[in-house]
Amino acid sequence: MKIGVYPGCSLTGSARDYNESVFALAKAFDIELVQVPDWNCCGATAAHNLNRELSLSLPARILATAEKNGLDEILVPCAACYSRLIVTQHELKKNPELKNRINEIIGMDYRGTTKLINVIEWIDASIIPNLEGKITKPFDYKVACYYGCLMVRPNKVLNYDRAEDPQTMDIVMEKIGAHALYFPFKTECCGAGLSVSRTDTVSKLSGKIIEDAVHRGADTLIVACPMCHSNLDMRRPDINKYWKSDFKLPVMYVTQAIGLAIGLTPKEVGLQRHFVKVNIS
Amino acid sequence: MARIGVFVCHCGENISATVDCGKVAETVGKLKHVAFSTDYKYMCSDPGQTLIKDAIKEHKLTGIVVSACSPRMHEPTFRKAAAEAGLNPFLCEMANLREHCSWVHEKNEMTTDKAIDLVRILIEKVKINSALQPIRVPVTKTALVVGGGIAGIQSALDIANTGHKVILVERSPSIGGHMSQLSETFPTLDCSQCILTPRMVEVAQHPNITLYTYAEVESLDGFIGNFTVKIRKKAKSIYEKDCTGCGLCTTKCPQKKIPNEFEEGLGFRPAIYVPFPQAVPNKPVIDREHCTYYLKGKCKVCEIVCPTKAIRFDQPDEVIEVKIGAIVIATGFDIKRSNFFPEYGFGKYKDVIDGLQFERLASASGPTSGAILRPSDGQVPKNIVFVACAGSRDPAKGIAYCSKICCMYTAKHAMLYKHKVHEGKAHVFYMDIRSAGKNYDEFVRRAIEEDYVNYIRGRVSTIYERDGKLIVKGVDTLLGAQPVEIVADMVVLATAGVANPGAEELAQKLHVSYDSHKFFAEAHPKLKPVETNTAGIFLAGACQNPKDIPDSVSQASGAAVKVAALFSQSELTREPLVAYVNRTSPPMYSTCVGCFLCQSVCPYQAIEHEDFKTRDGKIIKTVAKINEGLCQGCGTCVALCRSKSIDLHGYSNNQVYTEVVALLNDY
Amino acid sequence: MSHSEHSIERDSLAYAIEKHVEVHAQKCYQCGKCSAGCPVAEEMDLPPSLVMRLLQTEKSSNDDKVLRSESIWLCLTCEMCLSRCPMEIDIPSMMDYLRQRSRSEKKVNPKMKNIVSFHKAFLHSIQYTGRLFELGLILDYKRQSLKLTQDMMLAPKMISNGKLHFIPELLKDMPHITKIFKKTIVEGGSK
Ligand SMILES: Cc1cc2nc3c(=O)[nH]c(=O)nc-3n(C[C@H](O)[C@H](O)[C@H](O)COP(=O)(O)OP(=O)(O)OC[C@H]3O[C@@H](n4cnc5c(N)ncnc54)[C@H](O)[C@@H]3O)c2cc1C
Ligand code: SF4
Ligand code: SF4
Ligand code: SF4
Ligand code: SF4
């Protein structure tokens, strides 16, 4: 099986671990991931904060490139990129005038035909159905699934799961043997875009999420977004300082958990790259 | 020879601003057979009507065309004036120069020309109009009341007390409705059961009231004064005459864990049950969905223990047909349950309850005997949060309208809580306090000033659980939108009041209109709030929109008066604009060939059979006949009849054809 | 012409918002649910519902307060407010618009300059390489904001975890990216 993929910048840098686990999973399930050729950054928070047209043009270039290369379906593992791409599709569909303007800027013929799928949808469609007999080490841990903002909001645009108390990731985790805890902070914001410029804010918000998961007895947080991961993992010293505590709760990508369950080594799924040590294998 | 009079009205300036009324009168005045023509500022005024009456007499008019506003507005006025002057009212026609001409066109010659045309065609029509007599129909002086909540009870009693018969149909095993579930009632805090129960008993004992509980309306035919209703009496599985209401069966039934509807799921009941101790009638029914015998084929414990052998497992549903003259719909309302709210946990938290559940907790006859105990662990909540507008005024996820009753009952709940848990803290999140009503705002102020209920102006964003407590994240908008977090033991959602499930279906059965929220629709929002669009069917209580007890009762009495007024007439008259099948002399009798295609298309079931017989009773011919009481004059049969045997009084083929021809001809 | 266009002041910020991002400020009935759920409301000088209220007044002094607020820069675009607003008011899109207006009118709150700097540094990075060059971004941002200490602490560990590149990955078709930036940022004047 072959499917397009848009990794996005984080997956080639600070979220290499995520990238490795996604590709390792794909390989284990015989899925060929074809990168969108010569892809660019989606523009992230910065673009839509500063310039609307730019924030639509950058994703439009990616999507038009995918269309040109016949990639009807692309997997976007990063929830933030996913959000930018799908919001762009939505905006340009709603407003044909704007679409023409953006096409003029990028000098390409964006049509909006690509189907975008997030990592859980991909897992649901391509991994879960083929899981039988593959689980060698059931992921027998108590997990708090953290969806963050961008996987479920704005719900009317994404049309995925439900905005309050989403379940898709929990279900996936249960399928590999985990016990998904009731976790009300599932969709609270980690601070995302202010990561660098307002570290204290991020420490506070991310800290609340970690504190609650620890309080509920989670062995690990499960995430599907590199932004969330870097705030919850890489920023842990800041969080611990802000909260005057020593939270050791690891933060794993959903793909890493599945990888371990089917017998991949911690290294194959990039666990050694985490800041907070993962005592799960 | 026809002598027609034309009366052109200016309607103030409504018509004359764009139509040259003088010219219209003058032009049509010259037409053949027009004996009199004039224009006047207000034809509907007293002098205007006098002008018409005088002209009819003076010029011996045989027909008139009043060229004014819409017939819907003033046809009755002018027909009455014609009748007073000795002219058959159906020889008066109205040309609508306002809605059909002046209001929709610019002022110019063409507009005046169109007005002339509109008058002209009616002059031609009225020439061949025939004098018609109104139809008289009898009135069946029995009323049907659907729904036995406080509104239905009040309506039934009021009608019965005027000496007329009432049939009260209630879907559940007992009458009483939501009021029977309430603890104490605002704004006086008197016990709901105490004021309701006597009325329920009165219904049961009233000689003029027949009560069918566990029953529903199956279908309705007919029209005002002459309805026929089919009522399905669901099998109660007991023989009521023998049952003494001893209740032995209910104590021995092995099915004990069925969520109790009356207790809003906070308690359980057996499969054979009386919904609550004061129920009327106070006799059990078997809930066949949960009864072991119906599920598994054995048990019959109740049958064994019943001292009077009243249990009937094989009892079938029974459908009865009754004739009635008027209907009061009083099927009440419902509320959204706590499992509806996404951000408040989708009903996941046991201690997030709705208003009716709180009523049951606060009720002396409820599952906790009136003690406020939280469902999860039976503890007394020390900190309680009430959330107003939960789903109301929320177009995104709930309903756009204000449910009207929840501000008041929330204040009541907070007060009841404070009266029972003195050391407890009560918080109310609200957006506005809507407490218009006699002694209502004073009631809310008492909650705040005397019972120290903490009112916080702002909506709650989310509720979640931690360590057995509920964290309520709200905001105080009066403090510049300051976030407020309350760690609560219990949360009560004042959930939106919505239409009863099944209301839409009932509305369709009864042929009455309903609004987009599935509440029954009144005929006019201001002037006909008790009537529906269907003559003879009235509304009472919360089936129209959420309302409190005083409003429900007032409307119920209003509906009763409407019914009584209807029943005070021995017969009803109605316009004779109905279809008729022609009759000729024997041996033809009629050109009707008896195909009865018309019968299959008539939406009002108005077509009957008529047999022509020889002297010794042999049928020679069967033809169609229209029941004038049922026919609504829609004309569907006329269009369909292949032998052209049906025509419509007042709008005959010939009349309509004449109008068209007049329009095509120059004058 | 719609009813609302008749009655709204044509030079107000509310009008501009209605036109550009289809957010109708008067729909907000001040329930405060947005502020109740906003993760950064406590840090904002104007929680989201207050921003809505100021806009509703259509007074230029209040519009000015909004454009000079810290809130518009603290907003994380987490979409919580929109997802729970009973009137479905798209505050996040409105915030995007307000930020751009605030910059173009040179009304950015001085305390928020470093947030703007970060966004700018981020865009710089992709303007010159097509993709985000994280090390470059951190250095660039530190230069702009003069906040040297903070994130430099992270860099060594990032490097040892293999999470930081020393050399940016360059797109093949860089001229294309340059062109896109020229047509949006440069010509749009939001550099
Ligand atoms: C939590 C709460 C607290 C309240 N507190 C107060 C208070 O303190 N004071 C006050 O004045 N008001 C109060 N109210 C409002 C009060 O409950 C209503 O005003 C009242 O119940 C309306 O009476 P009703 O007869 O119109 O409707 P209902 O009480 O709903 O009765 C309708 C009846 O019709 C029956 N029915 C439904 N459909 C059919 C059908 N198809 N066929 C046959 N029968 C049918 C139902 O079974 C029911 O018996 C409160 C409401 C709530 C939700
Ligand atoms: S037969 Fe049904 S109703 Fe009777 S006792 Fe058994 S379970 Fe209860
Ligand atoms: S009555 Fe009060 S609580 Fe109920 S919807 Fe109206 S304003 Fe909200
Ligand atoms: S939630 Fe919506 S309606 Fe309520 S204050 Fe915020 S923007 Fe206004
Ligand atoms: S989008 Fe912005 S204003 Fe809305 S809740 Fe998130 S941070 Fe607050």
Side-chain angles (χ1 to χ4, degrees):
Chain A
M1 201 169 82
K2 213 160 125 171
I3 180 177
V5 63
Y6 172 75
C9 308
S10 329
L11 271 80
T12 64
S14 56
R16 268 178 78 179
D17 32 16
Y18 190 21
N19 201 42
E20 284 159 359
S21 62
V22 167
F23 276 84
L25 265 195
K27 194 170 149 221
F29 287 85
D30 277 331
I31 302 164
E32 190 188 337
L33 294 176
V34 184
Q35 290 204 23
V36 177
D38 205 31
W39 56 265
N40 54 278
C41 169
C42 71
T45 315
H48 75 81
N49 267 336
L50 298 190
N51 188 299
R52 177 152 191 248
E53 286 188 345
L54 180 67
S55 77
L56 297 169
S57 301
L58 291 171
R61 180 185 180 272
I62 300 162
L63 292 165
T65 310
E67 285 171 19
K68 208 170 80 187
N69 288 281
L71 298 170
D72 306 331
E73 236 185 36
I74 49 179
L75 161 67
V76 189
C78 168
C81 302
Y82 178 80
S83 163
R84 289 322 309 161
L85 294 180
I86 200 156
V87 165
T88 300
Q89 272 189 343
H90 175 82
E91 295 275 304
L92 299 188
K93 187 169 168 193
K94 210 172 63 179
N95 187 344
E97 233 172 84
L98 188 62
K99 182 173 133 187
N100 292 341
R101 166 78 186 130
I102 298 298
N103 268 335
E104 188 193 310
I105 293 174
I106 63 175
M108 294 174 81
D109 181 26
Y110 160 86
R111 272 168 298 153
T113 50
T114 313
K115 183 168 185 254
L116 298 167
I117 50 178
N118 70 28
V119 77
I120 306 292
E121 285 172 306
W122 177 63
I123 292 170
D124 263 337
S126 312
I127 309 274
I128 299 290
N130 305 317
L131 213 52
E132 219 183 284
K134 286 226 167 180
I135 297 190
T136 53
K137 279 203 243 163
F139 198 80
D140 189 11
Y141 295 100
K142 283 185 279 179
V143 301
C145 293
Y146 175 68
Y147 296 69
C149 313
L150 302 171
M151 277 194 52
V152 287
R153 290 191 298 264
N155 202 254
K156 282 201 170 150
V157 175
L158 303 183
N159 223 340
Y160 175 71
D161 206 328
R162 54 187 200 190
E164 305 290 345
D165 194 16
Q167 291 297 324
T168 41
M169 211 189 316
D170 295 64
I171 294 169
V172 165
M173 290 308 295
E174 301 262 353
K175 292 236 164 91
I176 60 164
H179 171 56
L181 295 169
Y182 161 73
F183 185 44
F185 281 74
K186 268 179 183 177
T187 60
E188 290 292 320
C189 183
C190 66
L194 295 181
S195 176
V196 182
S197 46
R198 287 281 288 227
T199 315
D200 50 341
T201 304
V202 174
S203 304
K204 180 165 136 195
L205 300 181
S206 293
K208 281 189 192 173
I209 295 162
I210 291 174
E211 192 277 335
D212 196 69
V214 169
H215 186 83
R216 286 172 203 278
D219 296 316
T220 178
L221 268 173
I222 302 290
V223 300
C225 169
M227 298 289 149
C228 304
H229 192 270
S230 76
N231 280 340
L232 297 165
D233 177 66
M234 214 160 74
R235 295 260 166 232
R236 187 63 61 86
D238 295 318
I239 293 171
N240 279 339
K241 205 164 99 199
Y242 185 93
W243 283 77
K244 299 193 179 56
S245 58
D246 186 21
F247 296 127
K248 294 200 163 68
L249 179 75
V251 186
M252 295 174 71
Y253 289 105
V254 59
T255 40
Q256 293 177 319
I258 301 174
L260 293 182
I262 61 165
L264 299 180
T265 65
K267 195 153 181 205
E268 280 173 298
V269 294
L271 280 182
Q272 79 285 5
R273 299 190 193 279
H274 288 204
F275 278 58
V276 179
K277 203 160 168 260
V278 185
N279 293 320
I280 280 175
S281 57
Chain B
M1 251 272 282
R3 299 178 54 79
I4 307 299
V6 178
F7 303 88
V8 184
C9 179
H10 294 207
C11 193
E13 290 202 330
N14 273 303
I15 298 174
S16 60
T18 48
V19 170
D20 182 346
C21 295
K23 187 178 167 199
V24 176
E26 196 195 317
T27 313
V28 302
K30 294 185 194 134
L31 296 176
K32 206 171 154 196
H33 300 308
V34 175
F36 178 78
S37 175
T38 189
D39 61 312
Y40 186 70
K41 203 163 175 82
Y42 288 111
M43 275 305 168
C44 61
S45 67
D46 240 14
Q49 292 189 45
T50 309
L51 187 161
I52 296 175
K53 286 190 240 178
D54 290 347
I56 293 175
K57 287 182 208 151
E58 194 186 325
H59 298 278
K60 301 198 169 40
L61 301 179
T62 59
I64 61 171
V65 177
V66 183
S67 314
C69 54
S70 81
R72 195 187 163 106
M73 182 88 188
H74 270 314
E75 197 175 66
T77 315
F78 295 121
R79 288 201 162 153
K80 188 162 159 273
E84 280 165 12
L87 185 69
N88 183 288
F90 296 94
L91 300 174
C92 163
E93 290 284 350
M94 274 190 84
N96 187 348
L97 299 192
R98 199 177 68 181
E99 281 86 337
H100 289 180
C101 194
S102 67
W103 274 359
V104 291
H105 299 300
E106 307 279 308
K107 176 184 177 138
N108 60 36
E109 223 160 87
M110 274 158 66
T111 304
T112 299
D113 286 348
K114 176 174 172 183
I116 293 169
D117 282 343
L118 289 173
V119 179
R120 246 175 9 93
I121 58 178
L122 284 171
I123 292 172
E124 293 309 311
K125 181 188 178 202
V126 79
K127 279 189 209 167
I128 56 167
N129 273 16
S130 21
L132 302 173
Q133 298 307 324
I135 299 170
R136 293 179 197 286
V137 284
V139 179
T140 310
K141 295 185 182 177
T142 299
L144 170 73
V145 176
V146 190
I150 183 58
I153 289 173
Q154 184 70 35
S155 256
L157 287 174
D158 285 348
I159 298 169
N161 286 337
T162 65
H164 297 296
K165 298 280 181 208
V166 179
I167 294 168
L168 177 55
V169 173
E170 165 60 48
R171 183 163 68 179
S172 66
S174 170
I175 57 172
H178 285 112
M179 190 175 165
S180 61
Q181 294 177 289
L182 305 183
S183 51
E184 291 166 19
T185 52
F186 63 75
T188 43
L189 291 189
D190 39 3
C191 150
S192 189
Q193 287 279 6
C194 313
I195 54 178
L196 176 66
T197 310
R199 301 245 165 142
M200 291 164 59
V201 173
E202 208 182 325
V203 165
Q205 292 173 348
H206 204 294
N208 283 342
I209 301 179
T210 310
L211 175 61
Y212 297 124
T213 52
Y214 219 45
E216 277 181 68
V217 171
E218 184 96 346
S219 66
L220 180 78
D221 288 325
F223 56 96
I224 179 168
N226 298 272
F227 295 106
T228 307
V229 64
K230 285 203 179 106
I231 299 167
R232 173 175 295 272
K233 293 165 69 187
K234 282 178 286 182
K236 294 181 174 177
S237 312
I238 60 153
Y239 185 58
E240 279 187 285
K241 290 224 172 75
D242 284 352
C243 172
T244 59
C246 71
L248 205 57
C249 51
T250 63
T251 60
K252 299 285 189 238
C253 173
Q255 288 279 7
K256 292 206 159 29
K257 288 277 170 189
I258 304 164
N260 188 333
E261 298 86 355
F262 183 79
E263 300 295 359
E264 293 294 331
L266 295 176
F268 299 103
R269 63 160 174 84
I272 185 163
Y273 72 108
V274 179
F276 53 101
Q278 301 84 348
V280 169
N282 207 311
K283 292 179 182 175
V285 298
I286 297 184
D287 162 10
R288 293 187 175 183
E289 263 178 50
H290 291 100
C291 160
T292 319
Y293 173 71
Y294 288 101
L295 292 174
K296 301 202 177 121
K298 41 178 191 257
C299 177
K300 295 203 175 183
V301 168
C302 48
E303 188 177 46
I304 298 162
V305 300
C306 177
T308 63
K309 299 281 162 258
I311 308 287
R312 297 285 185 281
F313 288 107
D314 54 358
Q315 195 178 59
D317 282 6
E318 190 188 343
V319 177
I320 57 169
E321 193 177 289
V322 256
K323 297 222 174 291
I324 48 163
I327 301 171
V328 177
I329 305 176
T331 50
F333 72 119
D334 197 6
I335 56 167
K336 283 212 183 279
R337 310 291 149 165
S338 53
N339 63 3
F340 164 76
F341 294 93
E343 48 270 66
Y344 306 155
F346 284 113
K348 190 146 69 193
Y349 317 126
K350 277 197 180 144
D351 297 326
V352 176
I353 62 172
D354 61 46
L356 282 174
Q357 289 177 316
F358 188 86
E359 293 288 343
R360 294 315 301 148
L361 286 184
S363 170
S365 67
T368 57
S369 307
I372 309 292
L373 305 176
R374 58 184 215 161
S376 63
D377 56 6
Q379 295 293 309
V380 177
K382 296 272 155 39
N383 237 318
I384 187 165
V385 169
F386 296 90
V387 181
C389 295
S392 301
R393 308 169 69 194
D394 183 343
K397 298 199 190 98
I399 42 149
Y401 56 83
C402 162
S403 295
K404 198 172 172 191
I405 51 174
C406 18
C407 274
M408 286 303 292
Y409 79 59
T410 295
K412 173 183 79 175
H413 288 173
M415 251 181 188
L416 290 178
Y417 168 77
K418 291 288 286 189
H419 295 173
K420 291 179 187 238
V421 187
H422 300 295
E423 72 288 1
K425 275 210 155 76
H427 315 267
V428 175
F429 282 97
Y430 73 102
M431 289 212 291
D432 300 286
I433 302 176
R434 297 189 167 169
S435 53
K438 196 166 176 175
N439 291 322
Y440 279 20
D441 206 54
E442 295 91 320
F443 181 80
V444 177
R445 293 310 312 168
R446 234 163 63 215
I448 298 170
E449 293 167 20
E450 290 170 24
D451 291 322
Y452 293 92
V453 175
N454 175 25
Y455 268 69
I456 307 166
R457 197 204 167 281
R459 253 188 141 119
V460 170
S461 171
T462 188
I463 299 170
Y464 65 90
E465 210 173 55
R466 182 160 155 146
D467 298 337
K469 301 265 184 191
L470 294 160
I471 318 294
V472 182
K473 280 182 71 178
V475 64
D476 190 332
T477 57
L478 300 181
L479 289 178
Q482 202 176 83
V484 177
E485 204 169 282
I486 294 176
V487 180
D489 301 301
M490 186 158 118
V491 176
V492 184
L493 305 178
T495 58
V498 294
N500 230 332
E504 188 177 17
E505 199 191 330
L506 182 66
Q508 286 166 357
K509 277 184 195 160
L510 301 179
H511 318 293
V512 299
S513 17
Y514 50 97
D515 64 24
S516 56
H517 301 291
K518 316 251 188 316
F519 282 112
F520 289 89
E522 61 284 330
H524 187 283
K526 278 154 266 176
L527 300 180
K528 288 183 172 180
V530 176
E531 291 91 333
T532 65
N533 265 330
T534 309
I537 305 187
F538 306 99
L539 301 177
C543 63
Q544 180 187 28
N545 60 281
K547 38 170 96 75
D548 56 24
I549 297 165
D551 281 1
S552 299
V553 171
S554 313
Q555 196 187 14
S557 291
V561 169
K562 296 277 171 189
V563 173
L566 181 63
F567 288 178
S568 71
Q569 295 159 271
S570 52
E571 38 174 43
L572 300 172
T573 56
R574 53 177 301 229
E575 283 199 325
L577 304 178
V578 293
Y580 62 98
V581 184
N582 67 21
R583 291 290 179 266
T584 56
S585 48
M588 263 288 261
Y589 297 103
S590 169
T591 57
C592 167
V593 295
C595 70
F596 289 103
L597 270 180
C598 50
Q599 195 172 33
S600 62
V601 295
C602 173
Y604 305 99
Q605 288 88 39
I607 304 198
E608 299 170 351
H609 292 220
E610 185 175 25
D611 297 331
F612 292 98
K613 298 176 185 164
T614 59
R615 263 196 207 142
D616 48 358
K618 245 181 67 197
I619 296 172
I620 308 167
K621 188 171 183 184
T622 302
V623 300
K625 182 179 172 220
I626 312 281
N627 179 328
E628 297 194 330
L630 294 174
C631 172
Q632 299 294 312
C634 72
T636 310
C637 55
V638 180
L640 197 95
C641 177
R642 289 184 293 193
S643 60
K644 301 267 169 286
S645 309
I646 318 183
D647 214 338
L648 205 56
H649 283 304
Y651 294 93
S652 67
N653 283 332
N654 191 21
Q655 284 169 311
V656 176
Y657 185 68
T658 306
E659 287 188 59
V660 177
V661 171
L663 199 55
L664 298 174
N665 285 344
D666 284 337
Y667 50 95
Chain C
M1 191 183 260
S2 78
H3 169 76
S4 51
E5 272 177 81
H6 271 297
S7 47
I8 204 160
E9 289 287 328
R10 295 200 67 91
D11 58 353
S12 69
L13 195 49
Y15 177 72
I17 288 166
E18 194 168 337
K19 217 171 84 185
H20 291 280
V21 281
E22 291 162 45
V23 170
H24 184 21
Q26 296 301 344
K27 268 182 88 173
C28 165
Y29 53 26
Q30 287 295 303
C31 70
K33 201 174 179 186
C34 49
S35 300
C38 174
V40 277
E42 279 166 67
E43 295 173 42
M44 286 176 159
D45 48 352
L46 302 172
S49 58
L50 237 61
V51 172
M52 294 312 300
R53 180 67 198 124
L54 288 168
L55 293 173
Q56 285 176 343
T57 65
E58 299 199 39
K59 277 176 69 176
S60 58
S61 57
N62 285 339
D63 288 354
D64 205 61
K65 261 189 208 151
V66 169
L67 293 177
R68 292 184 193 281
S69 71
E70 299 175 27
S71 300
I72 58 177
W73 296 103
L74 289 174
C75 165
L76 295 155
T77 328
C78 72
E79 310 264 355
M80 189 62 100
C81 48
L82 168 59
S83 130
R84 289 189 182 151
C85 170
M87 303 306 283
E88 296 183 274
I89 294 172
D90 191 348
I91 294 180
S93 294
M94 180 188 85
M95 290 291 195
D96 273 349
Y97 178 78
L98 291 174
R99 287 186 275 261
Q100 288 164 40
R101 269 289 284 264
S102 167
R103 280 193 77 211
S104 64
E105 293 187 16
K106 308 228 174 324
K107 288 182 179 165
V108 177
N109 186 300
K111 284 196 235 156
M112 297 294 109
K113 288 258 156 75
N114 62 324
I115 295 183
V116 183
S117 304
F118 175 73
H119 293 321
K120 274 165 73 179
F122 189 100
L123 290 189
H124 270 164
S125 168
I126 46 181
Q127 181 167 10
Y128 298 116
T129 57
R131 291 185 191 164
L132 177 63
F133 173 42
E134 283 162 329
L135 186 62
L137 165 64
I138 293 174
L139 293 174
D140 189 11
Y141 168 62
K142 297 303 155 193
R143 184 175 53 75
Q144 291 206 33
S145 66
L146 298 173
K147 272 186 157 184
L148 275 169
T149 48
Q150 243 177 7
D151 278 319
M152 296 315 279
M153 315 287 285
L154 281 175
K157 191 141 188 230
M158 281 182 83
I159 294 165
S160 72
N161 286 357
K163 288 195 165 198
L164 218 50
H165 294 290
F166 286 101
I167 307 162
E169 289 180 42
L170 263 188
L171 246 64
K172 285 197 217 94
D173 194 1
M174 260 327 284
H176 194 185
I177 300 296
T178 313
K179 205 176 95 197
I180 291 175
F181 270 84
K182 183 160 170 280
K183 287 205 167 166
T184 51
I185 296 260
V186 183
E187 285 167 16
S190 56
K191 203 173 156 58

